[in-house]
């Protein structure tokens, strides 16, 4: 078992991404789609990071997203952001922790916003430009056969290979497809 992550064993049973998903550390995710939510959570952002569960940004983070990427959600798709757990978030007078954004892709420079913390109290939040480092294409080509061999021998799953490789750099959707379903990706 050495070297195997147990982060997937603490995933909360819920219909949305929440701060407990980020106990093991920040996560950079790519926006796959954005939909209108409900009165309490008006924006649902579906990403590649929470097994189909949407990130439902709070009012302050919606303001940050609109400041970074604009008010129309179509351009958000395909962009990435880094989410982290902020243990200081208060809900209903109790510190419960919450999801905050630290970095945005597709912005020209870092920026700062004064965002409401509690009624009448504002705090500066700094957002950084996200530089996405992709896994080296030649290294991927050199290692693909070995990874597929491990999968075929039952020594690893495609998900485990992807998770381990992405510790060194983000994989493209095509590269992930080549690991998950190599025959279909070849077409």
């Amino acid at each position: 078992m050495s070297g195997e992550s147990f982060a997937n064993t603490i995933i909360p049973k819920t219909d949305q991404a929440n701060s407990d998903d980020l106990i093991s550390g920040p996560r950079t995710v790519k926006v796959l789609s954005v939909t209108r939510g409900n009165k309490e959570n008006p924006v649902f952002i579906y990403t590649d990071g929470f097994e189909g569960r949407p990130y439902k940004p709070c009012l302050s983070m919606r303001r940050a997203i609109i400041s970074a990427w604009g008010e129309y959600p179509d351009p958000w798709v395909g962009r990435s952001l880094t989410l982290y757990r902020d243990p200081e978030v208060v809900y209903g007078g109790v510190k419960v922790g919450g999801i905050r954004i630290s970095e945005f892709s597709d912005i020209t420079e870092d920026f700062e916003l004064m965002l409401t913390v509690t009624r009448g109290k504002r705090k500066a939040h700094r957002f950084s430009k996200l530089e996405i480092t992709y896994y080296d294409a030649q290294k991927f080509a050199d290692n693909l056969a070995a990874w597929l061999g491990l999968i075929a021998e039952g020594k690893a799953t495609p998900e485990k290979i992807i998770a381990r490789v992405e510790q060194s750099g983000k994989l493209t959707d095509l590269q992930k497809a080549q690991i998950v379903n190599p025959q279909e990706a070849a077409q």
Side-chain angles (χ1 to χ4, degrees):
M1 286 262 184
S2 94
E4 182 180 352
S5 170
F6 287 110
N8 64 342
T9 66
I10 60 172
I11 296 170
K13 293 182 186 328
T14 179
D15 67 342
Q16 69 183 39
N18 64 51
S19 66
D20 289 346
D21 288 306
L22 302 168
I23 285 175
S24 61
R27 190 178 303 180
T28 298
V29 296
K30 182 168 105 177
V31 176
L32 302 177
S33 67
V34 182
T35 62
R36 179 78 62 182
N38 53 40
K39 185 177 181 180
E40 186 177 330
N41 301 103
V43 177
F44 290 9
I45 299 176
Y46 292 88
T47 70
D48 63 355
F50 299 103
E51 296 82 32
R53 294 176 292 129
Y55 164 47
K56 300 175 182 179
C58 66
L59 178 60
S60 292
M61 293 301 101
R62 290 194 307 272
R63 288 177 175 156
I65 294 167
I66 289 171
S67 293
W69 290 341
E71 66 183 285
Y72 296 99
D74 288 346
W76 305 358
V77 175
R79 295 178 177 181
S80 297
L81 38 82
T82 300
L83 303 173
Y84 70 96
R85 181 179 190 277
D86 180 354
E88 299 300 311
V89 170
V90 175
Y91 183 77
V94 179
K95 265 192 203 180
V96 295
I99 297 177
R100 296 288 185 246
I101 301 168
S102 60
E103 299 175 310
F104 289 95
S105 71
D106 301 276
I107 60 173
T108 56
E109 60 187 5
D110 297 354
F111 67 99
E112 190 172 283
L113 291 175
M114 293 298 290
L115 297 173
T116 303
V117 178
T118 58
R119 183 167 287 161
K121 184 177 177 193
R122 297 168 68 77
K123 180 180 172 189
H125 287 266
R126 183 137 187 89
F127 301 94
S128 300
K129 180 178 179 180
L130 173 63
E131 299 290 345
I132 299 174
T133 304
Y134 285 94
Y135 193 79
D136 181 80
Q138 186 58 54
K139 198 172 171 183
F140 178 86
D142 293 345
N143 291 320
L144 182 59
W147 296 330
L148 294 177
L150 290 171
I151 294 166
E153 295 168 15
K155 295 180 178 176
T157 64
E159 294 76 22
K160 286 182 183 178
I161 297 285
I162 290 168
R164 182 159 293 170
V165 172
E166 285 197 322
Q167 291 175 356
S168 300
K170 195 97 169 126
L171 293 173
T172 66
D173 291 341
L174 177 59
Q175 288 171 326
K176 288 179 187 177
Q178 289 174 300
I179 294 170
V180 173
N181 194 343
Q183 293 80 15
E184 192 174 299
Q187 296 172 355

